[in-house]
Amino acid sequence: MLSNTELTGACETHLTAVDGHKLHPDAAHAYLAMQKAAVAHGLELAIASGFRSLDRQLSIWNRKWRGKLPLLSKQGEPLDVSTLTDTEKVHAILHWSALPGSSRHHWGSDFDIYDPRPFQSNELKLRLVPAEYIDTDGPCHNLWQWLTQHAHENGFFFPYARYQGGVAQEPWHLSYRPVSQKCQQQLKLELLAETINSIAIEGKSIILDNLAQIKSQYIDTITEDDGWTNIWCGY
């Protein structure tokens, strides 16, 4: 069980280094085993993003709120921040980015994966968009297909395998279930409220007023199964 500060990304005492990123030790061990299995099948597996701290998630949130980072619609089109109500801004951000203190990347159990080989020449840049994984000619398609069949063998699943009215579909996001399941159960509404109250986050009052809905829609709603039926839902 993680401490409250570990659970909300405020500290890193629960992490270990692997492939230039930080993961929970149990997730790191399972990742290395999965990586070895991928190599045996002629594939390469690398981490694009592992642990993300509370401060980093807060910076992303505040920059999006202020219009310093792009704010996108559900279809991926740029939004004009000045035309949105505070409630609309909250939901627009949450579709693509986690509320600080609630990100699964805080736990060290979750990380974004990719096949590094197509990007070695620097001519192609990883964007972390569904087409890179789901389209048959996508640079990470073969790896994604293999993971949909074999990731569960090492304890991993895709929490955002399909859009379910909350977080956008993320075919690159893997979660180590033995750790993340316990963390999700541990992350209570009271702790989230305490965390939001303690940080300088834009839109604080509207977040707190709608925190129960936010938790239900964007934090608790995940794809529990390992299947990829209806993967185009929402796109």
Side-chain angles (χ1 to χ4, degrees), residues 28 32 158:
L32 291 173
F158 292 87

Side-chain angles (χ1 to χ4, degrees), residues 12-235:
E12 305 179 13
T13 51
H14 58 304
L15 304 173
T16 189
V18 58
D19 276 7
H21 296 272
K22 296 175 182 178
L23 298 179
H24 187 285
D26 294 347
H29 179 77
Y31 162 74
L32 291 173
M34 183 170 62
Q35 186 184 55
K36 184 177 180 180
V39 170
H41 285 82
L43 300 165
E44 286 193 29
L45 171 63
I47 297 174
S49 178
F51 169 74
R52 197 173 300 146
S53 71
L54 174 62
D55 285 344
R56 183 179 173 197
Q57 199 69 35
L58 177 62
S59 174
I60 292 170
W61 179 280
N62 284 346
R63 283 182 288 158
K64 286 193 172 187
W65 185 277
R66 297 165 185 157
K68 294 181 178 179
L69 286 179
L71 198 57
L72 305 177
S73 70
K74 291 180 181 179
Q75 292 72 39
E77 299 296 328
L79 294 170
D80 183 352
V81 176
S82 66
T83 67
L84 303 178
T85 66
D86 284 354
T87 299
E88 288 171 336
K89 278 200 287 188
V90 165
H91 287 284
I93 296 172
L94 287 170
H95 184 73
W96 300 103
S97 299
L99 181 70
S102 76
S103 174
R104 299 176 69 93
H105 284 271
H106 293 335
W107 308 338
S109 58
D110 288 49
F111 49 90
D112 302 331
I113 55 86
Y114 74 113
D115 181 344
R117 293 173 296 180
F119 306 96
Q120 289 173 347
S121 67
N122 292 322
E123 295 179 4
L124 190 63
K125 300 292 185 182
L126 180 69
R127 296 181 296 143
L128 289 180
V129 295
E132 292 174 320
Y133 296 77
I134 294 171
D135 288 1
T136 55
D137 60 348
C140 299
H141 180 72
N142 290 338
L143 174 64
W144 171 75
Q145 277 199 316
W146 182 81
L147 287 169
T148 60
Q149 299 174 46
H150 298 286
H152 70 277
E153 295 168 4
N154 291 102
F156 292 97
F157 75 107
F158 292 87
Y160 307 121
R162 48 187 173 269
Y163 176 62
Q164 299 184 111
V167 177
Q169 182 187 38
E170 295 187 355
W172 52 84
H173 186 134
L174 277 175
S175 179
Y176 184 59
R177 193 188 300 272
V179 172
S180 64
Q181 189 173 59
K182 293 176 182 177
C183 291
Q184 187 161 5
Q185 293 168 352
Q186 190 182 346
L187 188 64
K188 303 298 184 184
L189 190 63
E190 295 77 14
L191 177 58
L192 279 175
E194 179 183 320
T195 301
I196 296 301
N197 266 313
S198 71
I199 59 179
I201 187 170
E202 298 285 358
K204 180 179 291 190
S205 61
I206 196 72
I207 293 169
L208 291 172
D209 287 346
N210 294 276
L211 194 56
Q213 179 194 350
I214 289 171
K215 185 175 185 296
S216 173
Q217 184 174 352
Y218 295 99
I219 301 170
D220 295 339
T221 300
I222 60 172
T223 306
E224 296 282 2
D225 60 83
D226 295 313
W228 275 85
T229 55
N230 300 319
I231 60 173
W232 294 105
C233 181
Y235 286 86

